[in-house]
Amino acid sequence: MGKKKKGIAVLSGGLDSTVAVSVFKEDYDIHAVTFNYGQRAANEEINSARAICDKLDFKHTVINLKWLKDLGSSALTTDKDLPILKENQLDDTKLTNESALNVWVPGRNVVFTSIALSFAESEGAEIIIVGWDKEEAATFPDNSKEFLKSFNELINIGSIEDIEIKAPAIDLTKKEIVELGEKINAPMELSYSCYSGEKSHCGICESCLRRKRAFKQADILDKTKYLE
């Protein structure tokens, strides 16, 4: 058996990135990077990412970007109240756009992906794996197919190496991500999606609601522990 190709993964510890990186777990030697940018859920996200990497035998690095916390006024990095929706409001464009604005962290995916590129160049990796998906792209432009295409074009122009960003969930809803995760035996039970940073998922923030709905719609057992 030949030596595996190398990949860098941006792994938040969340559902989307956990499934995305699991798509490549057999064919690539993966180094996952997780970012601590002063978010409420930093500790739980890091613990989750570490557990996933231990399970899948990936190298794991935590990168501190505390300066990002001081930019903007995201509810993820300040004491602002987290936006709360009901499950039947998750497809209300007006409400979800307002919610997204409240949790937006300036330039986050641009920064994360650029740093991942630095790792990829230095380690001879051929791909960068991200968890961007169709459902998130509805309110977060840095999850969109257009963003993926543009960033790959940027790399093609600005990098001396042949590196491509891979986003296997780019055309998938959360339900479809859960279905894919089940099919490929991704360790979804180890992932952490909550905005609040509590040890157990709060069950009421938008991220928790989307996670709960996805498992329910997919009719797949949700092993997540929710406070509510």
Side-chain angles (χ1 to χ4, degrees):
M1 185 175 179
K3 189 176 181 181
K4 284 185 177 181
K5 295 173 287 188
K6 292 184 178 181
I8 301 297
V10 178
L11 180 65
S12 68
L15 178 65
D16 307 330
S17 60
T18 298
V19 173
V21 74
S22 296
V23 169
F24 299 95
K25 60 184 167 62
E26 303 297 337
D27 298 323
Y28 284 82
D29 178 13
I30 294 174
H31 180 182
V33 292
T34 304
F35 296 95
N36 180 353
Y37 55 97
Q39 70 273 37
R40 298 175 190 232
N43 288 338
E44 293 306 319
E45 289 179 5
I46 291 166
N47 289 339
S48 179
R50 184 177 292 121
I52 291 161
C53 289
D54 287 345
K55 175 85 171 179
L56 299 178
D57 196 26
F58 296 161
K59 181 180 178 181
H60 184 230
T61 297
V62 177
I63 299 173
N64 290 312
L65 298 174
K66 296 297 182 66
W67 54 266
L68 197 52
K69 175 183 172 66
D70 298 325
L71 303 181
S73 56
S74 172
L76 299 187
T77 56
T78 66
D79 293 330
K80 284 175 58 176
D81 290 338
L82 289 166
I84 301 296
L85 300 176
K86 296 179 180 178
E87 185 176 331
N88 62 7
Q89 297 175 320
L90 291 177
D91 296 315
D92 184 318
T93 304
K94 182 175 183 295
L95 292 176
T96 54
N97 279 332
E98 290 175 359
S99 177
L101 285 174
N102 282 320
V103 297
W104 180 262
V105 178
R108 180 173 56 178
N109 276 355
V110 175
V111 172
F112 291 178
T113 313
S114 298
I115 292 172
L117 174 61
S118 293
F119 274 82
E121 285 192 355
S122 66
E123 297 182 14
E126 296 183 12
I127 62 171
I128 297 167
I129 306 159
V130 296
W132 308 339
D133 67 272
K134 182 178 180 180
E135 188 164 321
E136 297 286 344
T139 49
F140 295 99
D142 59 357
N143 270 254
S144 67
K145 184 177 283 189
E146 293 79 9
F147 184 73
L148 172 65
K149 181 175 182 291
S150 297
F151 218 116
N152 270 323
E153 289 174 351
L154 176 68
I155 290 174
N156 186 49
I157 295 168
S159 176
I160 62 172
E161 305 294 343
D162 186 12
I163 299 167
E164 182 180 4
I165 304 170
K166 296 284 191 179
I170 199 71
D171 290 316
L172 304 183
T173 64
K174 295 282 186 180
K175 168 183 176 286
E176 292 166 331
I177 290 170
V178 169
E179 290 171 338
L180 174 60
E182 180 77 1
K183 180 180 178 181
I184 63 175
N185 197 29
M188 296 185 289
E189 72 282 358
L190 298 178
S191 65
Y192 184 88
S193 301
C194 186
Y195 286 156
S196 74
E198 300 292 336
K199 192 168 185 63
S200 294
H201 287 65
C202 74
I204 59 174
C205 71
E206 183 178 348
S207 188
C208 279
L209 290 180
R210 291 189 183 278
R211 181 186 179 103
K212 289 165 72 173
R213 183 177 72 166
F215 277 98
K216 185 163 62 176
Q217 288 177 336
D219 195 23
I220 291 172
L221 178 64
D222 186 359
K223 299 178 182 179
T224 311
K225 292 181 180 179
Y226 297 102
L227 293 175
E228 296 189 32

